[in-house]
Amino acid sequence: MNTLHAVHPQRWRETCDPFSLHYNYFQLNEVLGYPHAGNDVFYVRGLADNEEITAYIKVARQKGAAIDNEVNILGQLNGPVFPKVLDYDHEHGLFSVTADMPGLRLSVIAGDNKDLISLSYMEEYGEALGRLHKLKISAKPQVDRKFYHRPNEELLEKLNLPFLASFFGHKPMYDETVFCYGDFHYANVLWKDHHISAILDFELAGYGSRDFDIAWALFLRPGQKFLKTDEELERFLRGYQKYGDCNVEAVKYYMAQCYVHFLCFCDEKDYCEYVRNWLERSCRE
């Protein structure tokens, strides 16, 4: 969501008025942009501790926005890569204000990734998730999401993927519970000088499945130009395994699960073709 010099679109939908919010410690002076997000998010300039800064205001737009969960998590994390909470709606958990963070998304850095620039980033990418999974902090179990559930036979028939019924019939037997980031993927991780400079958006964090959290980081999103090769996945996992084990077969199982759910709403031809080829290659028994 952030960049070294953040540029965001002008208002692209109706939002709340950020000037109407009751701030405790932050003074809003100017809205600079409107990042695309599920909640209402504003890139702004204002005052914090009498210093002019840029920041992000996030306002709950939907049920389950979990802004209070993110504030709780960030309050327990120490380190330069975690955004500082500047202000928060203590009474209702309606909004938060977090400091702007430096860096670029890997999607911007890699571009079309024809030369596999991404390879040199994958090990640190995996290390970062491995370190997060080792944290012992106070957090609730993750809120349930459809992606956490294997697709049923009716859905597989509808998507013309009946061969996956037997694959999904063998759910991983052992699933270690750890502190999970919940949304670890390229849009929420920023890089500067070839190192991770920020990890953003902790609304979905909590205790849950280690191997699903890894799979969520590894499966390809529409439009993404990296993490398409086995070598990239292997380097990510090599970095991750510096901090802990994982069940590679379980990770593959959950990647397939995510891919099927994404096929339900994505109509990008090239992406759907990639996903179907991946499922045929990786999951046919």
Side-chain angles (χ1 to χ4, degrees):
M1 188 163 63
N2 309 50
T3 65
L4 285 170
H5 301 287
V7 177
H8 295 297
Q10 293 303 302
R11 187 158 61 173
W12 49 279
R13 69 179 178 195
E14 289 300 315
T15 67
C16 70
D17 178 6
F19 287 94
S20 69
L21 300 174
H22 298 292
Y23 303 102
N24 300 297
Y25 315 109
F26 181 71
Q27 178 184 313
L28 173 60
N29 291 339
E30 181 183 6
V31 176
L32 302 173
Y34 298 78
H36 289 281
N39 293 304
D40 285 345
V41 180
F42 309 90
Y43 180 52
V44 302
R45 181 180 290 115
L47 293 177
D49 294 329
N50 296 316
E51 179 182 354
E52 185 175 73
I53 62 164
T54 51
Y56 285 86
I57 300 171
K58 186 180 298 183
V59 185
R61 183 183 178 92
Q62 54 200 356
K63 184 178 179 181
I67 289 174
D68 53 346
N69 184 60
E70 179 176 39
V71 170
N72 170 56
I73 299 297
L74 287 175
Q76 299 179 68
L77 299 179
N78 296 311
V81 300
F82 302 119
K84 179 182 178 183
V85 178
L86 305 173
D87 207 342
Y88 167 60
D89 176 15
H90 298 276
E91 187 173 355
H92 304 293
L94 176 65
F95 72 85
S96 67
V97 183
T98 53
D100 190 11
M101 298 290 285
L104 296 168
R105 290 172 173 172
L106 189 51
S107 55
V108 175
I109 296 169
D112 61 19
N113 203 34
K114 286 184 179 178
D115 297 325
L116 282 180
I117 298 168
S118 60
L119 277 175
S120 62
Y121 292 84
M122 287 298 105
E123 198 160 329
E124 183 170 332
Y125 202 19
E127 288 177 18
L129 187 59
R131 287 195 299 269
L132 285 170
H133 284 177
K134 286 298 182 183
L135 294 175
K136 305 295 183 186
I137 64 176
S138 175
K140 298 177 181 178
Q142 289 182 292
V143 175
D144 191 34
R145 304 169 70 202
K146 66 180 179 181
F147 301 105
Y148 298 159
H149 301 279
R150 58 187 175 184
N152 58 38
E153 291 189 21
E154 180 181 356
L155 178 58
L156 295 175
E157 288 286 347
K158 182 179 178 181
L159 293 172
N160 195 27
L161 295 169
F163 72 90
L164 287 176
S166 59
F167 175 82
F168 286 121
H170 299 90
K171 187 174 181 179
M173 295 295 293
Y174 177 71
D175 209 343
E176 185 170 342
T177 298
V178 299
F179 172 74
C180 291
Y181 176 87
D183 205 14
F184 196 84
H185 64 91
Y186 74 92
N188 290 332
V189 180
L190 304 183
W191 301 78
K192 183 180 179 183
D193 299 329
H194 224 94
H195 295 288
I196 290 175
S197 58
I199 301 176
L200 314 171
D201 293 343
F202 281 81
E203 295 103 313
L204 299 175
Y207 284 91
S209 164
R210 174 198 65 190
D211 295 323
F212 182 91
D213 212 39
I214 298 170
W216 187 257
L218 288 177
F219 87 93
L220 191 76
R221 270 77 175 171
Q224 189 174 331
K225 304 298 183 184
F226 56 91
L227 279 175
K228 296 173 104 173
T229 67
D230 290 342
E231 189 175 1
E232 288 169 291
L233 269 64
E234 288 166 5
R235 289 204 187 182
F236 182 101
L237 291 173
R238 183 193 308 165
Y240 181 89
Q241 289 168 334
K242 291 179 181 180
Y243 293 89
D245 294 329
C246 69
N247 182 334
V248 176
E249 288 302 308
V251 170
K252 183 178 77 170
Y253 179 98
Y254 292 129
M255 287 176 69
Q257 190 168 288
C258 292
Y259 276 134
V260 170
H261 285 300
F262 263 59
L263 281 177
C264 293
F265 60 80
C266 181
D267 57 3
E268 185 180 307
K269 183 179 178 180
D270 289 346
Y271 178 76
C272 292
E273 183 178 348
Y274 171 89
V275 167
R276 290 182 178 276
N277 287 338
W278 188 95
L279 292 169
E280 283 276 358
R281 185 178 73 252
S282 305
C283 307
R284 187 177 283 279
E285 299 181 347

